[in-house]
Amino acid sequence: MRSLFGAIMAFTLSLPALAQEAPRLFPNRDVAVTYRVSGAGPMQEVTMAWAAAPRLMRVELPGMGYTIADFAGQKGFMVMQIPQPMVMDIPMAQAASHVRALESARFTKLGADRVAGVACTNWRHEGPQGSGTGCFTDDGVMLRSQGSAPGVQGALEALRVTYGPQDIARFQRPAGVPSMQMPGGMLPGMPPARKN
């Protein structure tokens, strides 16, 4: 499960936003996508939902709970359901350092495609922390991604894409649930931040 979480976070947080020609990397309208994830142990299905205006993302972790990433507020947390409900704060600075390490990545447009019945454009990205390809819609939904980074490799492919308003309550920290810090201060499956 740790490797699955690491793969998901790598694919969703490690793509840089560049001034050069590049795909939109965050949806500009609310959407939920169910992906098939491979390369992180047994193939699994994972659902990600985005509340576009507040820049929030929810990732359902099969058999474990869910994770919320607040991109605007640069914070996040994981809600684990077993053995009892617990909220674990995620050090978004760790993910941010991973993003900064990839800011020199180059994107190359490869052409049009369709995934899960939705039109998208294939792009290749290459940088010092890894390379791969992805298919993105014009409104910023990643429909397919595959590639590798240090310690992480695998692929995501959309099975179902559902546009529509997301219930903002599903992105809020649950009240009355005990909290703890991520052991070791880093995301599971993510490489440590480089010291400058």
Side-chain angles (χ1 to χ4, degrees):
M1 184 57 63
R2 288 170 62 90
S3 59
L4 170 63
F5 181 76
I8 291 168
M9 295 305 283
F11 283 121
T12 58
L13 297 179
S14 67
L15 290 173
L18 303 174
Q20 68 182 37
E21 184 183 24
R24 177 186 294 274
L25 300 176
F26 194 95
N28 65 4
R29 57 179 170 148
D30 288 9
V31 64
V33 183
T34 298
Y35 296 95
R36 178 175 49 240
V37 181
S38 59
M43 191 174 294
Q44 300 189 45
E45 290 188 12
V46 172
T47 298
M48 299 184 195
W50 288 266
R55 293 183 61 81
L56 298 169
M57 179 182 73
R58 176 177 170 131
V59 181
E60 304 291 340
L61 301 171
M64 188 174 182
Y66 62 92
T67 296
I68 302 295
D70 177 351
F71 291 89
Q74 281 298 292
K75 58 186 177 181
F77 59 88
M78 179 190 302
V79 178
M80 296 174 292
Q81 305 291 6
I82 52 176
Q84 60 188 17
M86 179 74 68
V87 176
M88 184 179 294
D89 291 307
I90 294 174
M92 291 291 281
Q94 183 75 34
S97 73
H98 193 58
V99 171
R100 286 192 299 272
L102 291 175
E103 285 180 345
S104 60
R106 298 179 311 277
F107 277 97
T108 304
K109 186 183 288 188
L110 301 178
D113 205 345
R114 293 186 76 83
V115 177
V118 180
C120 58
T121 301
N122 285 309
W123 295 80
R124 177 164 181 76
H125 62 91
E126 299 179 73
Q129 290 295 308
S131 63
T133 59
C135 204
F136 297 84
T137 65
D138 289 345
D139 56 8
V141 180
M142 179 183 67
L143 298 182
R144 181 171 54 224
S145 181
Q146 56 189 348
S148 62
V152 180
Q153 64 179 7
L156 301 174
E157 182 166 348
L159 300 173
R160 292 179 294 281
V161 180
T162 306
Y163 287 99
Q166 297 295 312
D167 180 1
I168 201 67
R170 298 183 69 241
F171 298 83
Q172 304 303 311
R173 194 180 191 92
V177 177
S179 298
M180 64 180 289
Q181 295 297 314
M182 184 73 74
M186 60 186 298
L187 297 171
M190 295 289 283
R194 290 185 177 180
K195 295 181 179 179
N196 295 325

